Amino acid sequence: EEQKRLLENRPDQPQNPKVLRIAIIGAPNAGKSTLSNQLLGRKIFPVSKKVHTTRCKAQGVITHEDTQLIILDTPGLTSPLKAKRHNLEEAMLTDPWDSMKRADLVLVLVDVSDHWTRNSLSKEVLKCLSQFPHIPSVLVLNKVDILKKKFLLLEIATDLTEGIVNGKKLEVKSTHKQDSRSSVKLPFHITRASPPESKVPGSPFGQEKNQAQEGSGLDKSSDVGVAGRGEAQGPKHHEPEDVKDVKGWPHFQEIFMLAALRGEEVDTLKRYLLMQAKPGPWEFHSDVLTNQSPQEICDNIIREKVLEYLPLEVPYGVTQVTEIWEEGECGELLIMQSLLVPRESHKRMLIGRGGKVISRIAQEAGQDLMNTFLCDVRLKLKVEVK
């Protein structure tokens, strides 16, 4: 009830409110939801190793002093063919595009631990960027802690940016100082050692020199820096058909490297995002963390565990029905949910031998719900053939 009231009432407003709407896009399983949760400081979005865990257009809200960041956590950009293979709803093809239309800034997340895909942006991501070239974009290299050969990061960054960041050509500079601040153990921080003085043409975000250095991980003491040279260039309007032979996007304003799962360097990105906010009214009350209802968060967390522990084809056919949702005598939350599956064989898999699988799902989901709602949760799950 309180969440409903906060979402329906007009939000509180500070004296000079600032706001930034951020679309996080990338291939399925790049770590978008993990990054969103780390930025929010609470588990709001479901996370799983299986692709397409995020099925809806949920929003996360970060309110810091006079600034509000609205994170548009979107389903992974996928093609109609793959959507058909996973029985995905039509909305999963259109939601990322809808989020882009609302965004003031886009974060493009790339999983650098995947050696098959890390050296080029997916065609769906490139199409999205070329459709909205006026929206400032930032490249985020995720899972850098898993990458054993850190020198590959420079090659990956060059491929994904076509060698240009914020209108400047990338140039490798070797120095011999150590940067021990990050336990990610990067051999360098890639960004421009000398950001351009002027604003980026076509961008409402042109950063001033000191802002860029403070917020983007610009680091003059890194082992390998990337210096800018050449004149700033305005965004070239790629048509969607132009992306066939293109690997990267030459209009990123910044590059960040982080390990979202461990929360490494996420604060650096968060500070940068707060600095990019522009004057404008808040959309949500300062006490709101997400536009989802508690029931939606609960459904997502349970589905995440079902995805985690069942073979690929099973979880996408599970329907969830909440039978009981009430507060106990001591303020604990009592939840009972039925998981409806299409086949008897699926039911046996979901329950597991001696009820081990369903017990584990209930235990882990219950723990996550306690951490999210900050109260005791008693969760019961039952499995039925629909």
Side-chain angles (χ1 to χ4, degrees):
E1 288 303 314
E2 187 184 348
Q3 171 77 343
K4 195 176 173 186
R5 182 177 55 76
L6 287 172
L7 289 172
E8 284 176 356
N9 291 351
R10 291 178 66 180
D12 51 339
Q13 300 285 348
Q15 206 163 4
N16 299 300
K18 289 188 283 186
V19 71
L20 183 74
R21 293 167 202 83
I22 306 149
I24 303 181
I25 66 168
N29 220 10
K32 297 178 295 297
S33 296
T34 303
L35 177 59
S36 298
N37 288 335
Q38 289 285 7
L39 287 166
L40 287 159
R42 199 97 68 81
K43 187 166 185 174
I44 298 297
F45 301 109
V47 178
S48 166
K49 292 186 185 75
K50 299 261 171 65
V51 296
H52 308 305
T53 308
T54 301
R55 305 290 281 256
C56 62
K57 226 179 1 185
Q59 294 177 32
V61 184
I62 299 165
T63 304
H64 179 75
E65 295 174 355
D66 60 354
T67 304
Q68 193 162 83
L69 304 179
I70 299 165
I71 299 171
L72 313 167
D73 185 54
T74 54
L77 284 161
T78 190
S79 64
L81 187 69
K82 288 176 189 166
K84 196 173 178 185
R85 190 187 305 158
H86 286 285
N87 296 320
L88 303 178
E89 302 86 2
E90 184 71 27
M92 289 195 64
L93 292 171
T94 58
D95 279 358
W97 293 83
D98 291 344
S99 293
M100 285 291 287
K101 286 173 193 165
R102 294 194 55 222
D104 302 314
L105 183 139
V106 57
L107 298 183
V108 178
L109 205 60
V110 175
D111 173 3
V112 297
S113 71
D114 187 338
H115 67 275
W116 295 106
T117 60
R118 66 190 177 202
N119 285 89
S120 61
L121 297 173
S122 73
K123 292 290 171 270
E124 282 77 28
V125 168
L126 282 166
K127 273 183 202 166
C128 219
L129 290 169
S130 62
Q131 284 283 79
F132 303 94
H134 57 286
I135 300 175
S137 55
V138 169
L139 177 64
V140 179
L141 303 182
N142 189 25
K143 308 186 189 179
V144 295
D145 55 322
I146 302 172
L147 194 67
K148 288 186 173 70
K149 298 173 181 174
K150 298 288 191 269
F151 64 85
L152 289 172
L153 286 168
L154 184 61
E155 180 193 309
I156 294 166
T158 305
D159 286 345
L160 297 178
T161 62
E162 294 189 355
I164 297 170
V165 178
N166 207 1
K168 298 274 184 173
K169 284 187 181 174
L170 300 183
E171 181 187 85
V172 181
K173 279 178 138 188
S174 289
T175 59
H176 301 288
K177 292 180 187 171
Q178 288 291 324
D179 176 22
S180 58
R181 290 177 306 170
S182 167
S183 53
V184 171
K185 297 287 188 289
L186 298 183
F188 52 80
H189 283 186
I190 292 191
T191 67
R192 304 165 321 287
S194 52
E197 303 283 344
S198 60
K199 297 191 173 188
V200 185
S203 153
F205 282 90
Q207 293 118 241
E208 303 304 323
K209 195 180 240 184
N210 61 345
Q211 274 192 322
Q213 287 178 341
E214 185 187 337
S216 65
L218 287 173
D219 192 353
K220 291 178 179 170
S221 66
S222 51
D223 290 335
V224 182
V226 179
R229 64 175 183 194
E231 294 302 309
Q233 302 169 358
K236 196 169 51 176
H237 285 248
H238 288 274
E239 292 302 317
E241 59 267 21
D242 291 349
V243 303
K244 282 179 195 161
D245 305 313
V246 177
K247 283 170 73 174
W249 179 249
H251 310 303
F252 288 118
Q253 292 202 341
E254 298 287 350
I255 306 174
F256 287 87
M257 299 183 190
L258 45 82
L261 190 60
R262 292 163 62 174
E264 310 237 350
E265 295 295 320
V266 172
D267 273 350
T268 308
L269 175 61
K270 190 171 177 177
R271 284 197 302 273
Y272 171 81
L273 295 172
L274 287 166
M275 284 197 313
Q276 302 309 306
K278 297 292 168 197
W282 286 358
E283 284 188 31
F284 295 95
H285 191 279
S286 54
D287 288 340
V288 168
L289 261 179
T290 178
N291 66 334
Q292 301 170 90
S293 70
Q295 285 90 341
E296 284 172 320
I297 294 171
C298 176
D299 284 354
N300 283 334
I301 284 175
I302 293 169
R303 195 168 55 80
E304 168 200 313
K305 305 302 175 190
V306 172
L307 279 164
E308 205 61 47
Y309 291 114
L310 290 189
L312 190 62
E313 76 280 1
V314 180
Y316 299 104
V318 174
T319 304
Q320 295 165 257
V321 179
T322 301
E323 311 277 0
I324 296 172
W325 182 289
E326 57 189 42
E327 198 173 326
E329 289 176 13
C330 305
E332 74 275 25
L333 186 56
L334 308 172
I335 303 169
M336 188 167 89
Q337 193 169 94
S338 294
L339 304 176
L340 309 179
V341 293
R343 297 190 185 93
E344 192 66 42
S345 59
H346 290 184
K347 178 181 175 179
R348 285 196 298 274
M349 275 189 263
L350 185 47
I351 292 171
R353 187 173 292 174
K356 277 187 180 171
V357 176
I358 196 69
S359 297
R360 191 169 182 181
I361 288 169
Q363 186 182 351
E364 291 188 11
Q367 188 59 55
D368 278 356
L369 289 168
M370 281 195 257
N371 296 339
T372 300
F373 297 143
L374 304 179
C375 71
D376 284 337
V377 174
R378 285 170 56 194
L379 173 66
K380 289 186 179 180
L381 298 176
K382 59 179 183 175
V383 187
E384 296 174 349
V385 178
K386 60 185 171 188

